[in-house]
Amino acid sequence: MRLPEPIDTPLRTAFGLLVLPAALILYSAAVMLLALRGAQPERIHSLYVRYARLCTRFAGTKLEIHGLANIEPSQPYVVVLNHESALDPVYITLALSDLVVRFVAKAQTMAIPVLGHALRRTGNVSVVRTDTAYDVKELQRAMARRHPRVSFLFCAEGTRSRDGALHAFKMGAFATALDYHLPILPCAIAGNYAIWPKGTVRLRRGIVVIEVGAPIPIEGLTPGDRAALRDRTHEAVAKLRASARARLRARGVEPGGID
């Protein structure tokens, strides 16, 4: 369903609050059915992408993606992304549609009826962020069951930014990359903070830019190099974020937040 261009923000929000939750239940049920029937991760991922495309259209977002040539579709990654908005996972799913991506999601998301069960059933990971031992066990369990083509997405700041700045990264993504010998794929998103910041309901139209960086190899690194890998990735994401924000400003769009 395509919304007409002139639709205003209140009406767009009302449509979104009515249609998107209903669609989410339907897609979640379809995902669970496919998982129960033993469908390949690629087929399940295609439903993730379809729902992401529906959300993008309802939000009225123009998605601009750069750096896709850096991706090798047959190579799984630990994808590391900054976190501006609840819509970040939606847009990165659409941007990285050539990868089969699963998420490291907070326990509150996994507690949502139907959706949480579908996410667990299809290999996503629940973390609580205040219990490191629990989170490590959940990641280990998910990685032990991981299909060889599946990449995992970490919003490494741990939570959405309230001020729109890029904050320090937590260690989970980098421990996972080193423990399971997966390269890091640094990505950055800009524009989402202005469209749907934390604590708001209104869906605003706008442009979101995603920059995909060159993979960061982990060959020759040991678990003792986690902090150095984290710092290198943070620097890479910061540069990609600055580039994405500059692209928005070149088009006369203020990305919001703090540089």
Side-chain angles (χ1 to χ4, degrees):
M1 178 178 181
R2 189 175 188 124
L3 293 174
E5 287 301 312
I7 192 167
D8 63 15
T9 295
L11 188 54
R12 181 179 298 280
T13 300
F15 268 116
L17 291 176
L18 288 171
V19 174
L20 293 180
L24 183 59
I25 292 172
L26 291 174
Y27 274 97
S28 296
V31 161
M32 281 193 291
L33 180 60
L34 286 177
L36 288 170
R37 296 177 64 180
Q40 290 297 304
E42 291 87 349
R43 188 174 178 195
I44 293 171
H45 180 68
S46 71
L47 291 185
Y48 282 32
V49 173
R50 289 181 189 178
Y51 183 74
R53 187 172 291 114
L54 179 67
C55 289
T56 303
R57 288 176 177 172
F58 261 95
T61 302
K62 178 179 174 57
L63 195 60
E64 185 177 305
I65 308 162
H66 300 272
L68 290 179
N70 287 314
I71 295 174
E72 173 55 56
S74 62
Q75 168 66 56
Y77 300 94
V78 168
V79 182
V80 175
L81 180 72
N82 63 309
H83 204 3
E84 294 191 344
S85 165
L87 286 171
D88 293 342
V90 170
Y91 296 146
I92 198 68
T93 296
L94 201 52
L96 304 182
S97 58
D98 285 343
L99 295 178
V100 180
V101 177
R102 296 293 182 264
F103 306 98
V104 178
K106 60 185 180 180
Q108 294 94 315
T109 301
M110 294 295 198
I112 297 173
V114 185
L115 170 64
H117 190 67
L119 290 173
R120 286 183 183 278
R121 175 68 67 174
T122 54
N124 298 277
V125 187
S126 172
V127 294
V128 297
R129 300 194 182 102
T130 57
D131 187 340
T132 301
Y134 170 85
D135 292 349
V136 168
K137 287 181 180 178
E138 286 295 296
L139 281 167
Q140 289 174 340
R141 188 177 296 116
M143 295 303 290
R145 299 193 303 260
R146 182 185 69 90
H147 187 279
R149 283 203 59 193
V150 168
S151 298
F152 269 97
L153 170 71
F154 288 76
C155 291
E157 293 164 279
T159 188
R160 287 171 284 165
S161 171
R162 284 198 175 274
D163 59 6
L166 179 65
H167 293 274
F169 285 171
K170 297 186 181 299
M171 201 67 80
F174 314 103
T176 301
L178 292 173
D179 289 346
Y180 296 95
H181 311 290
L182 295 174
I184 299 283
L185 184 68
C187 298
I189 191 165
N192 231 359
Y193 180 79
I195 290 173
W196 202 21
K198 191 171 184 176
T200 65
V201 175
R202 296 173 64 201
L203 289 173
R204 299 175 176 87
R205 296 172 60 84
I207 302 172
V208 168
V209 176
I210 292 176
E211 295 270 1
V212 181
I216 299 174
I218 49 84
E219 285 80 6
L221 301 182
T222 69
D225 296 313
R226 285 179 296 177
L229 181 60
R230 176 199 61 196
D231 294 346
R232 181 180 175 186
T233 305
H234 191 279
E235 182 181 0
V237 172
K239 289 180 179 178
L240 293 167
R241 177 177 177 269
S243 174
R245 291 170 70 83
R247 290 183 192 275
L248 285 172
R249 286 177 173 138
R251 300 182 62 161
V253 176
E254 177 52 48
I258 300 170
D259 287 333

